[in-house]
């Protein structure tokens, strides 16, 4: 028996740049795929969601106002930070999912590369998705994509890190702020990702991370009137209908995706704004 | 002098006053003018509009080739536009060069047209490029010869280079020469001012300096009396009335050749400055060929079939 | 002396209205099982009897559309599809006067607007989209070239033909087939459009038109054979449709209501601003989802603008929509008129100041004088709810930030106007406003090349331009 007891990490939520416990005081046990105890994760409540939305809403104008170059740099910085902790993240993935060390390391590399891929879109997608429109008449007319606002994400269950990054990176890169629900069964990677984010110059409140049950929280994400969009890629497809229905009250933009890297994931949470101005003197 | 209490005659006060005028959006002004041009005027309204337009015409000849004979013929036409129909009103004025004023006045008096004024273009028309002494003398001459209306040009060069006070002082000086004897029409030559912002500024400058009328053009520069330009000038006199309770007249000149053109002008007046301006004392149209087209349209309306130029007099 | 413009009515003789119409299904006219009256809202004269589409009619139309999609339309090259659209555009131009007069009779809008706006823009939409048909691979970074299949389209009564064009042109250009339902009160130009499709030789079943009311619309929404729904109308109905479509695999785009803020800064070009305000709220009797229905004036020029606005409103000519000099026509229906009366009564009750120019309204038909309410605050119903009539609510602001805050303080986000002569202020305000269409120093301008659509509860998706096209192509999101 070794003489030293391991110092275990307490996994908490990540709201407005801080790591609070759930206001509900509830937790749930996270086990390895073999059933061994790994940690007690916060079982976030709808009130945690509410607080996270308030933080995300407050942070949104500032994040959207940051230059595209700056947002891209910060996203790249997140990738740098993640790369540096590859081994730790790989180990955590293996523990939760039982994936081999090699597979887990691959997932971390994929997540890093995906962050880099999205980081580069920040100052390019608006030129591809915007347009100047040749209208009939003496008017200058152009369309620009703009961030939607506060977007929720229900991350995929299976790839605890890659699925999470694939959900939040496209939301953030355009200037949205996010409230993301980690994989319910394997939330530890997402919570550890918060530590990466916290050291990456991402302003407080831009990304908020909850751990908890999809079945409990997804309907609250859908019905929240101050969430503008929702990525439900992580939800089983038989639940998409009821979630979409619950999102109708504020005509929430709700989408699900199958591919991790596609510009459509960014554009799904952007609005097109068209501006007219006369040309004269 | 008080200048309506709006400026004190100094460069600074004039500048400040003109600077605070709201801008004109060219596209918006053009759209409004184009929309008003779609007004369809029919039957009795058209008949009324034609007679009103005839009474507003400043029947004009401004050519190097003008002769006493030509001017006398013009005067006859001005007084009795249609010799076969005495119900046709006489035009608003006869407009000629300085040296033809006396000839016109004498001939009008000779044919009994004592009421019909003679307007003289003045101040080194059309360019305005002469010394102040010449411009003053030009105006005095015209008035002495019987001109009751002076159509002066502004110094567009001075305006465009920002020497607004010079333009202003010239108008003030000419207005002094006019005194009670002649009405002063100030020609802005909007085709050289180019922008509608300049048209608005120049309109106010002229009104503040004492113009009785503001007039678009000499007729020697294109574009002349375009609808947006007239619109902006009508807005200016309307708003100036709100400020001062004084009504300044407007005279578009140049390019108004058909009855349709003239009726569009009247619609602009009616819907912009208002019906008070639908009067020869506040609205004139500087034209020559227009009169015959008005007469032909008038014949068509009374006869019910299209007229021929053979039945209107050409002088 | 007053310059009274004599009546200048456009001739009705160019249109021929049948006493009764059926549905246009699979390229043929199909008798309806029951009918309702379509009236001229300016006179209450019955124009025709319109078929009330049943679920069976919708089913027949969907089958025809599916058949056309499978057998003819999806097999056609983009170039050939485009040629049909060019043909349609040309025929609409050839029959422009007929469309304009019919639209004015059926809808109540002034002939000047149907003639100069609705009809030419409708033809332009077909021209624009015709050219897209063989270029779909260039249409965007997030679209495919695959059509959805059968598209169900439900359009409103405010721009009957133009909304048809906005819907049908991109659907056909991308290779979809269509089941379209015009609004209950305004079916006639859609039925005339069916004749255009016949003249153009469009393959049977590519465009099907089923007339009817809300029940017909709901049969379209719930039909399992439809792959995509496109709706323009009220936010209330839009949400009902969204709920119905949520559990299905149908795609959905929505163009819904608005409460557009028209912000006037102290440095604005006042005369053109006043024109823009008038155009913003009185165009099409204010039956415009993107109308500038909330005028937000900077306090330092509020009095001057209001004075000029009132003087300008005195010149608005209300009356016979067929008269070429009419500026403001009839309210489209008795039902809509009642809604306008209800909301304006709320404006009175909540203490806002009502003003209308002196204008005589015709005895018959549905009419409402151009109206402004001053002293309106954000909490008033007339500042929050869409009136969809010629009624303007006037609010004031002190600083630019306050203007934006008021403008954005609504669940809607369709349009906004900015009036200022300062370029950087215009761009700043454009950036701050949460609306899909920003008109700076202009208002209510439309173009097929210009994407149109709303933020927030004003809708999903865009219509027009490359962005609108993508709504009719399968994208990555599901």
């Amino acid at each position: 028996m070794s003489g030293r007891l391991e110092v275990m990490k307490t996994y908490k939520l990540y709201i407005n740049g801080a790591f609070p416990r759930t206001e509900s005081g509830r937790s749930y046990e996270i086990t390895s795929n073999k059933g061994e105890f790994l940690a007690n994760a916060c079982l976030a409540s709808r009130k945690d969601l509410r607080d996270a939305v308030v933080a995300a809403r407050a942070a949104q104008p500032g994040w959207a106002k940051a230059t595209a170059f700056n947002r891209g740099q910060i996203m790249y910085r997140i990738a740098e930070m993640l790369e540096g902790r590859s081994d730790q993240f790989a180990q955590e993935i293996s523990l939760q999912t039982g994936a081999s060390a090699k597979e887990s390391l691959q997932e971390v590399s994929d997540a890093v590369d995906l962050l880099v891929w999205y980081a580069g879109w920040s100052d390019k997608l608006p030129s591809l998705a915007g347009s100047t429109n040749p209208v009939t008449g003496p008017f200058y007319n152009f369309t620009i994509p703009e961030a939607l606002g506060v977007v929720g994400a229900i991350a995929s269950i299976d790839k605890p890190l890659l699925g999470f990054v694939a959900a939040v990176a496209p939301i953030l890169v355009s200037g949205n702020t996010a409230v993301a629900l980690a994989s319910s069964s394997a939330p530890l990677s997402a919570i550890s990702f918060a530590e990466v984010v916290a050291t990456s110059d991402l302003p407080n409140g831009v990304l908020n991370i909850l751990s908890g049950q999809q079945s409990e929280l997804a309907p609250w994400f859908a019905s929240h009137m101050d969430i503008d969009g929702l990525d439900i890629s992580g939800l089983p497809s038989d639940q998409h209908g009821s979630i979409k229905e619950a999102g109708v009250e504020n005509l929430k933009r709700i989408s699900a995706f199958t591919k991790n890297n596609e510009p459509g994931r960014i554009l799904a949470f952007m609005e097109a704004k068209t501006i007219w101005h006369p040309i004269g003197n | 002098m008080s200048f309506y209490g709006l400026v004190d005659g100094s460069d600074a006060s004039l500048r400040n006053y003109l600077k605070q005028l709201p801008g004109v959006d060219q596209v918006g002004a053009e759209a409004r003018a184009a929309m008003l041009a779609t007004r369809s005027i029919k039957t009795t309204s058209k008949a009324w509009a034609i007679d009103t337009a005839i009474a507003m015409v400043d029947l004009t000849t401004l050519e190097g080739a003008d002769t006493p004979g030509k001017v006398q013929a013009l005067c006859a036409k001005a007084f009795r536009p249609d010799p076969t129909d005495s119900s046709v009103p006489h035009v608003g004025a006869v407009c000629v060069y300085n040296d033809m004023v006396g000839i016109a006045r004498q001939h009008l008096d000779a044919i009994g047209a004592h009421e019909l004024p003679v307007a003289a273009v003045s101040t080194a028309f059309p360019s305005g490029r002469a010394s102040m002494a010449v411009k003053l003398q030009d105006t005095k001459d015209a008035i002495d010869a019987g001109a009751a209306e002076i159509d002066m040009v502004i110094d567009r060069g001075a305006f465009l280079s920002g020497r607004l006070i010079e333009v202003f002082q010239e108008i003030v000086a000419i207005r002094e020469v006019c005194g009670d004897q002649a009405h002063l029409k100030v020609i802005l030559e909007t085709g050289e001012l180019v922008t509608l912002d300049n048209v608005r500024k120049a309109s106010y400058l002229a009104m503040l300096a004492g113009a009785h009328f503001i007039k678009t053009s000499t007729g020697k520069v294109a574009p002349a009396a375009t609808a947006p330009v007239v619109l902006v000038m009508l807005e200016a006199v309307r708003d100036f009335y709100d400020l001062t309770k004084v009504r300044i007249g407007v005279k578009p000149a140049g390019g108004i050749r058909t009855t349709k053109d003239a009726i569009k002008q009247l619609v602009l007046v009616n819907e912009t400055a208002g019906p008070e301006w639908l009067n020869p004392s506040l609205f004139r149209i500087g034209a020559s060929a227009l009169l015959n087209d008005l007469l032909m349209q008038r014949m068509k309306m009374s006869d019910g079939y299209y007229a021929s130029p053979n039945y209107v007099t050409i002088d | 002396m007053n310059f009274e413009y004599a009546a200048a009515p456009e001739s009705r003789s160019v249109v021929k209205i049948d006493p009764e119409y059926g549905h246009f299904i699979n390229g043929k006219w199909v008798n309806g099982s029951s009918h309702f009256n379509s009236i001229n809202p300016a006179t209450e004269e019955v124009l025709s009897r319109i078929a009330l589409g049943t679920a069976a009619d919708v089913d027949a139309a969907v089958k025809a559309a599916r058949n056309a999609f499978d057998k003819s339309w999806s097999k056609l090259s983009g170039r050939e599809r485009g040629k049909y659209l060019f043909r349609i555009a040309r025929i609409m131009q050839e029959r422009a006067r007929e469309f304009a007069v019919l639209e004015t009779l059926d809808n109540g809008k002034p002939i000047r607007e149907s003639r100069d706006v609705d009809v030419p823009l409708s033809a332009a939409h077909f021209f624009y989209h015709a050219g897209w048909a063989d270029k779909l691979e260039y249409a965007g970074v997030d679209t495919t070239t695959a059509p959805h299949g059968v598209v169900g389209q439900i359009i409103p009564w405010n721009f009957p033909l133009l909304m048809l064009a906005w819907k049908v042109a991109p659907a056909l250009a991308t290779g979809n087939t269509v089941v379209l339902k015009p609004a209950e009160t305004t079916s006639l130009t859609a039925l005339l459009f069916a004749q255009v499709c016949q003249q153009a030789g469009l393959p049977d079943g590519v465009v099907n038109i089923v007339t009817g009311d809300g029940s017909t619309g709901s049969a379209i929404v719930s039909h399992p054979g439809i792959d995509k729904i496109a709706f323009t109308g009220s936010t209330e109905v839009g949400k009902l449709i969204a709920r119905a479509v949520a559990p299905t695999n149908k795609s959905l785009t929505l163009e819904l209501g608005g409460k557009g803020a028209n912000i006037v800064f102290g440095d604005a070009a006042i005369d053109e601003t006043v024109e823009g305000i008038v155009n913003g709220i009185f165009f099409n009797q204010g039956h415009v989802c993107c109308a500038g229905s909330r005028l937000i004036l900077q306090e330092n020029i509020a009095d001057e603008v209001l004075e000029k606005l009132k003087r300008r409103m005195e010149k608005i000519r209300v009356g016979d929509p067929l008269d070429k000099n009419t500026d403001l026509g009839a309210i489209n229906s008795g039902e809509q008129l009642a809604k306008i009366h209800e909301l304006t009564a709320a404006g009175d009750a909540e203490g806002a100041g009502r003003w209308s120019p002196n204008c005589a309204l015709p005895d018959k038909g549905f009419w409402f004088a151009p109206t402004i309410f001053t002293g309106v605050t954000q909490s008033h119903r007339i500042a929050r709810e869409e009136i969809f009539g010629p009624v303007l609510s006037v609010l004031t602001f002190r600083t630019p930030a306050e203007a934006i805050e008021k403008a954005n303080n609504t669940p809607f986000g369709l349009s906004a106007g900015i009036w200022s002569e300062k370029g950087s202020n215009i761009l700043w305000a454009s950036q701050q406003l949460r609306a899909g269409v920003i008109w700076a120093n202009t208002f209510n301008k439309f173009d097929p090349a210009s994407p149109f659509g709303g933020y927030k509860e004003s809708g999903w998706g865009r219509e027009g331009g490359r962005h609108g096209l993508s709504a009719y192509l399968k994208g990555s999101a599901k």
Side-chain angles (χ1 to χ4, degrees):
Chain A
M1 193 167 176
S2 91
R4 184 174 180 278
L5 187 65
E6 188 192 355
V7 176
M8 287 179 72
K9 180 156 89 182
T10 308
Y11 288 88
K12 296 195 284 188
L13 307 179
Y14 182 58
I15 297 173
N16 205 24
F19 291 88
R21 285 205 168 81
T22 167
E23 64 76 40
S24 67
R26 303 177 306 172
S27 65
Y28 69 118
E29 192 175 304
I30 306 302
T31 58
S32 74
N33 70 318
K34 296 189 187 106
E36 297 152 331
F37 171 78
L38 293 176
N40 287 311
C42 286
L43 184 64
S45 68
R46 61 187 161 88
K47 290 186 180 170
D48 294 317
L49 169 64
R50 176 201 62 190
D51 295 346
V53 171
V54 170
R57 178 59 66 193
Q60 202 271 327
W63 179 237
K65 208 179 159 191
T67 63
F69 177 67
N70 184 230
R71 285 198 306 272
Q73 284 212 313
I74 290 174
M75 298 284 291
Y76 184 76
R77 175 78 178 156
I78 297 174
E80 286 178 343
M81 294 290 104
L82 184 58
E83 174 89 28
R85 294 171 63 175
S86 294
D87 290 342
Q88 182 203 340
F89 272 91
Q91 208 181 357
E92 203 172 49
I93 291 168
S94 289
L95 277 173
Q96 293 176 97
T97 65
S100 72
K102 193 180 162 202
E103 284 166 347
S104 296
L105 211 51
Q106 185 62 48
E107 183 178 337
V108 180
S109 305
D110 288 347
V112 170
D113 291 350
L114 192 61
L115 277 163
V116 171
W117 191 77
Y118 277 113
W121 273 120
S122 70
D123 50 6
K124 295 161 196 72
L125 194 60
S127 6
L128 295 180
S131 54
T132 53
N133 310 308
V135 297
T136 302
F139 295 94
Y140 187 65
N141 177 297
F142 60 104
T143 301
I144 45 169
E146 272 190 353
L148 184 61
V150 174
V151 179
I154 295 172
S156 141
I157 307 258
D158 352 310
K159 296 262 183 186
L161 180 65
L162 183 61
F164 189 81
V165 166
V168 299
I171 292 172
L172 298 180
V173 70
S174 66
N176 292 302
T177 53
V179 178
L181 179 62
S183 161
S184 294
S185 55
L188 304 186
S189 303
I191 300 296
S192 294
F193 185 71
E195 297 159 13
V196 166
V197 168
T199 52
S200 301
D201 304 325
L202 193 75
N204 292 344
V206 170
L207 174 60
N208 304 277
I209 302 173
L210 306 177
S211 56
Q213 293 302 336
Q214 280 190 349
S215 54
E216 179 189 354
L217 290 175
W220 291 102
F221 271 89
S223 64
H224 198 303
M225 295 295 279
D226 207 29
I227 293 179
D228 302 304
L230 186 58
D231 177 350
I232 54 171
S233 306
L235 271 187
S237 54
D238 63 350
Q239 291 173 31
H240 288 187
S242 62
I243 290 297
K244 284 183 174 177
E245 218 173 319
V248 165
E249 199 46 45
N250 71 336
L251 291 178
K252 200 170 270 103
R253 281 74 170 140
I254 302 181
S255 290
F257 308 91
T258 48
K259 265 179 81 179
N260 283 340
N261 58 332
E262 53 177 327
R265 282 192 91 133
I266 308 175
L267 290 172
F269 301 115
M270 297 189 83
E271 288 283 3
K273 177 184 275 180
T274 298
I275 301 171
W276 293 70
H277 196 280
I279 301 170
N281 41 46
Chain B
M1 287 181 83
S2 73
F3 309 110
Y4 302 97
L6 296 173
V7 294
D8 63 10
S10 71
D11 186 29
S13 78
L14 183 67
R15 254 171 215 293
N16 285 339
Y17 190 84
L18 297 180
K19 202 186 263 179
Q20 55 80 43
L21 294 171
V24 185
D25 184 82
Q26 184 197 351
V27 173
E30 284 173 354
R32 173 64 176 155
M35 186 263 132
L36 287 175
T38 70
R39 290 289 193 230
S40 176
I41 306 301
K42 301 265 183 243
T43 62
T44 50
S45 311
K46 188 170 177 182
W48 181 86
I50 288 173
D51 279 6
T52 304
I54 291 171
M56 289 171 168
V57 167
D58 274 7
L59 195 62
T60 303
T61 184
L62 294 169
E63 289 162 24
D66 284 344
T67 59
K70 160 95 184 171
V71 169
Q72 284 166 359
L74 192 80
C75 290
K77 175 95 176 174
F79 185 48
R80 291 289 304 277
D82 182 350
T84 67
D85 184 350
S86 61
S87 70
V88 179
H90 67 68
V91 303
V94 169
C95 182
V96 293
Y97 269 119
N98 179 327
D99 62 331
M100 292 292 166
V101 171
I103 292 156
R105 184 69 266 158
Q106 281 160 25
H107 190 70
L108 286 169
D109 289 342
I111 59 175
H114 305 288
E115 308 292 298
L116 195 55
V118 175
V121 294
S122 178
T123 66
F125 181 97
S127 69
R129 299 255 68 86
S131 71
M132 193 58 209
V134 169
K135 291 179 183 179
L136 291 170
Q137 192 57 45
D138 190 14
T139 308
K140 280 189 189 114
D141 277 0
I143 293 171
D144 292 346
E149 301 180 3
I150 295 295
D151 289 23
M152 73 171 282
V153 291
I154 64 165
D155 183 343
R156 284 87 73 187
F159 183 92
L160 290 171
S161 66
R163 289 174 280 125
L164 303 176
I165 193 68
E166 288 178 27
V167 183
F168 182 82
Q169 284 165 349
E170 266 192 30
I171 300 170
V172 170
I174 300 295
R175 171 67 204 272
E176 267 176 38
V177 173
C178 291
D180 300 333
Q181 291 176 281
H183 261 59
L184 179 62
K185 304 196 198 99
V186 177
I187 303 171
L188 309 179
E189 196 64 303
T190 54
E192 290 183 349
L193 300 186
V194 181
T195 70
L196 294 175
D197 283 326
N198 278 347
V199 171
R200 174 168 290 171
K201 251 189 214 174
S203 297
Y204 273 87
L205 183 149
M207 293 189 291
L208 289 168
H212 295 105
F213 262 76
I214 48 177
K215 174 175 168 183
T216 60
S217 325
T218 60
K220 307 292 184 193
V221 168
T226 65
V229 160
V230 178
L231 174 76
V232 168
M233 290 170 67
L234 286 164
E235 287 166 354
V237 297
R238 174 197 69 196
D239 294 344
F240 195 76
Y241 173 77
D242 286 348
L243 285 169
T244 63
K245 298 299 159 205
V246 174
R247 289 198 175 93
I248 308 295
V250 175
K251 177 177 170 185
I256 302 165
R257 294 189 181 87
T258 66
T259 301
K260 211 172 179 177
D261 294 340
I263 290 178
K264 282 179 188 173
Q265 295 286 333
L266 297 188
V267 170
L268 274 176
V269 174
N270 189 43
E271 300 212 19
T272 309
E276 297 83 0
W277 267 263
L278 281 174
N279 185 310
S281 69
L282 287 170
F283 196 77
R284 295 278 183 83
I285 301 169
S288 40
L290 169 66
L291 182 58
N292 272 350
D293 194 66
L294 287 166
L295 294 172
M296 281 168 62
Q297 287 295 320
R298 200 177 186 277
M299 288 173 185
K300 150 80 172 55
M301 296 213 62
S302 57
D303 301 343
Y305 44 78
Y306 292 105
S308 153
N310 287 342
Y311 300 87
V312 291
T313 57
I314 297 174
D315 288 298
Chain C
M1 180 124 185
N2 275 352
F3 190 8
E4 298 294 347
Y5 307 161
E10 183 63 66
S11 167
R12 276 180 73 153
S13 65
V14 291
V15 299
K16 184 185 149 287
I17 304 175
D18 292 346
E20 189 174 288
Y21 286 92
H23 308 295
F24 183 67
I25 296 172
N26 207 25
K28 286 150 204 78
W29 294 99
V30 176
N31 289 334
S33 42
S34 65
H35 293 79
F36 56 90
N37 286 342
S38 187
I39 63 167
N40 176 346
T43 59
E44 299 177 57
E45 158 206 6
V46 175
L47 294 171
S48 184
R49 308 259 306 145
I50 304 295
L52 177 62
T54 62
D57 297 324
V58 169
D59 189 54
V62 173
K63 286 204 170 92
R66 174 64 58 192
N67 191 47
F69 181 77
D70 291 342
K71 303 237 169 80
S72 66
W73 200 239
S74 66
K75 298 218 161 51
L76 220 52
S77 68
R79 189 185 64 192
E80 297 305 302
R81 276 202 318 274
K83 279 152 77 175
Y84 280 110
L85 271 80
F86 281 123
R87 273 194 191 180
I88 291 172
R90 274 288 187 249
I91 296 171
M92 288 176 86
Q93 288 179 321
E94 286 157 10
R95 301 179 71 172
R97 190 54 55 94
E98 191 180 348
F99 269 110
V101 172
L102 188 61
E103 194 76 303
T104 285
L105 284 170
D106 198 23
N107 170 280
K109 65 174 65 201
I111 187 75
R112 180 164 62 77
E113 290 177 5
S114 52
R115 179 194 67 199
D116 297 347
V117 181
D118 296 59
V119 176
L121 262 183
S122 299
H125 266 269
F126 278 95
F127 258 105
Y128 175 82
H129 286 97
W132 265 124
D134 55 1
K135 301 170 191 69
L136 298 179
E137 60 267 43
Y138 308 105
V141 289
D142 62 337
T143 53
T144 64
T145 58
H148 292 281
V150 176
V151 178
Q153 304 182 317
I154 300 167
I155 57 172
W157 47 260
N158 57 343
F159 295 94
L161 182 68
L162 184 59
M163 292 299 103
L164 175 149
W166 281 28
K167 294 277 182 289
V168 173
L172 298 193
T174 46
N176 298 280
T177 56
V178 163
V179 175
L180 175 118
K181 188 194 89 68
E184 190 181 350
T185 58
T186 54
S187 304
L188 292 178
T189 46
L191 295 167
L192 182 59
F193 178 78
Q195 293 177 25
V196 171
C197 294
Q198 287 180 318
Q199 287 188 335
L202 193 69
D204 292 346
V206 172
V207 168
N208 303 276
I209 295 173
V210 180
T211 53
D213 62 9
S215 67
T216 316
S218 107
I220 291 175
V221 168
S222 60
H223 197 290
I226 288 179
D227 302 299
K228 177 196 160 62
I229 299 287
F231 170 76
T232 296
S234 70
T235 292
E236 188 189 350
V237 176
K239 287 182 180 176
L240 288 176
I241 292 174
R243 284 197 182 91
V245 166
T248 72
N249 284 324
K250 293 186 177 97
S251 294
L252 176 62
T253 44
L254 301 168
E255 297 290 354
L256 308 177
K259 192 74 191 175
N262 203 359
I263 304 173
V264 181
F265 289 94
D267 68 334
I270 289 195
D271 290 298
E272 291 70 45
T273 300
V274 168
E275 286 308 315
I277 295 167
V278 167
N279 183 44
I281 187 61
F282 302 124
F283 172 61
N284 202 36
Q285 295 70 249
H287 300 328
V288 185
C289 49
C290 53
S293 53
R294 284 185 297 151
L295 179 63
I296 307 189
L297 299 173
Q298 193 149 19
E299 283 187 12
N300 62 351
I301 49 147
D303 292 345
E304 187 181 351
V305 170
L306 279 176
E307 198 178 306
K308 286 197 163 188
L309 176 61
K310 287 177 179 176
R311 173 150 59 189
R312 175 64 180 81
M313 283 171 67
E314 299 275 8
K315 298 288 183 192
I316 293 175
R317 306 176 66 86
V318 185
D320 179 9
L322 275 177
D323 190 317
K324 287 175 251 185
N325 292 328
T326 291
D327 298 321
L328 195 75
I331 301 302
N332 180 254
S333 66
E335 192 190 347
Q336 185 57 30
L337 182 61
K339 194 184 150 201
I340 298 169
H341 279 301
E342 192 233 315
L343 274 163
T344 48
D348 293 332
E350 288 178 320
R354 183 202 281 245
W355 184 88
S356 285
N358 234 333
C359 65
L361 300 178
D363 301 328
K364 279 203 145 188
F366 313 121
W367 301 92
F368 200 89
T371 299
I372 56 176
F373 277 99
T374 50
V376 178
T377 68
Q378 287 289 95
S379 60
H380 287 160
R381 277 184 74 194
I382 53 170
R384 307 200 64 79
E385 294 180 35
E386 189 174 34
I387 299 174
F388 223 66
V391 181
L392 180 66
S393 299
V394 185
L395 298 87
T396 58
F397 71 96
R398 294 162 299 175
T399 64
E402 193 181 13
I404 299 298
E405 191 177 87
K406 287 187 174 180
N408 286 341
N409 182 13
T410 162
F412 295 117
L414 188 48
S415 72
I418 303 164
W419 298 88
S420 169
E421 290 290 277
K422 187 174 176 185
S424 54
N425 183 45
I426 292 168
L427 291 175
W428 173 83
S430 302
Q431 212 170 42
Q432 301 295 313
L433 286 164
R434 302 294 291 163
V437 185
I438 310 279
W439 284 296
N441 291 322
T442 187
F443 213 96
N444 272 344
K445 289 282 178 294
F446 309 94
D447 194 277
S450 177
F452 181 92
Y455 282 35
K456 302 195 267 185
E457 292 188 27
S458 288
W460 280 342
R462 295 293 176 270
E463 292 188 306
R466 189 168 58 68
H467 298 76
L469 194 76
S470 68
Y472 286 93
L473 294 166
K474 283 186 177 160
S476 56
K478 39 172 212 208

